């Protein structure tokens, strides 16, 4: 945010965003580079910068063994042509990533595209098709029962 008028140079500007990485060392490097770049741009215009990283979220690690166990449950309930595998890390930088950094964890996505116009996450018109909620709940329940009975053994 940089002022209230488009024809007046504001005395300050606030920029917010996220930096996500799959590796802690790379993440720290990216944060440091962002700070250096902001300082250089500010200096170029004889300004200053206050750089305050307030949230340190990594990408979400997906535990491979947990993923394989969950996959076995999914394959027993969902037609193969409806299953898509994704990377062992997810670029989502959310609070859940903190848990996944400490204990085996995973998350999954269920396609919930509504009929009609489709908007991305964080868009004011984002919506889902609630018709996918029953299979989502069934997958959670089946996985919990499978885990209780078999543990991490597929």
């Amino acid at each position: 945010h940089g002022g209230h008028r488009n024809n007046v140079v504001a005395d300050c500007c606030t920029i917010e965003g996220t930096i996500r990485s799959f590796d802690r060392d790379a993440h720290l490097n990216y944060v440091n580079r962002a700070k250096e770049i902001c300082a250089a741009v500010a200096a170029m215009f004889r300004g200053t910068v206050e750089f305050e990283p307030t949230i340190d979220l990594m990408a979400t690690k997906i535990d491979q063994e947990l993923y394989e166990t969950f996959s076995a449950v999914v394959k027993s309930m969902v037609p193969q042509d409806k299953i898509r595998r994704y990377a062992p890390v997810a670029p989502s930088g959310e609070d859940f990533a903190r848990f996944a950094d400490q204990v085996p964890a995973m998350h999954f996505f269920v396609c919930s595209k509504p009929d009609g116009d489709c908007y991305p996450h964080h868009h004011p018109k984002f919506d889902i098709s609630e018709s996918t909620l029953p299979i989502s709940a069934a997958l959670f329940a089946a996985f919990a029962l499978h885990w209780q009975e078999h543990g991490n053994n597929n």
Side-chain angles (χ1 to χ4, degrees), residues 58-133:
M58 296 292 293
T60 304
K61 292 180 185 175
I62 310 274
D63 181 79
Q64 189 61 36
E65 289 183 50
L66 198 59
Y67 175 84
E68 294 302 328
T69 302
F70 182 73
S71 291
V73 172
V74 171
K75 289 175 184 174
S76 72
M77 298 176 63
V78 178
Q80 188 67 30
D81 65 329
K82 300 292 183 190
I83 300 172
R84 302 288 183 272
R85 180 179 170 88
Y86 60 95
V89 289
S92 53
E94 52 193 70
D95 292 343
F96 182 71
R98 292 190 195 277
F99 296 108
D101 196 40
Q102 302 296 316
V103 297
M106 62 157 287
H107 63 156
F108 68 98
F109 299 96
V110 175
C111 180
S112 59
K113 181 181 175 187
D115 293 332
D117 293 335
C118 185
Y119 297 91
H121 290 104
H122 309 293
H123 189 282
K125 293 183 180 180
F126 173 77
D127 196 11
I128 66 167
S129 170
E130 293 183 6
S131 66
T132 62
L133 296 178

Side-chain angles (χ1 to χ4, degrees), residues 128-149:
I128 66 167
S129 170
E130 293 183 6
S131 66
T132 62
L133 296 178
I135 188 64
S136 300
L139 289 170
F140 272 118
F143 178 65
L145 292 171
H146 180 88
W147 187 268
Q148 183 179 24
E149 186 174 333

Side-chain angles (χ1 to χ4, degrees), residues 9-66:
V9 177
D11 61 342
C12 68
C13 179
T14 301
I15 300 173
E16 296 180 0
T18 58
I19 297 175
R20 300 175 184 175
S21 173
F22 301 127
D23 176 85
R24 180 152 305 278
D25 290 337
H27 183 78
L28 294 173
N29 182 53
Y30 299 149
V31 170
N32 288 333
R33 282 298 291 148
K35 184 177 183 176
E36 292 169 0
I37 291 167
C38 289
V41 170
M44 184 172 63
F45 293 102
R46 297 185 194 134
T48 60
V49 66
E50 292 177 23
F51 189 89
E52 300 174 13
T54 56
I55 299 177
D56 183 26
L57 293 177
M58 296 292 293
T60 304
K61 292 180 185 175
I62 310 274
D63 181 79
Q64 189 61 36
E65 289 183 50
L66 198 59

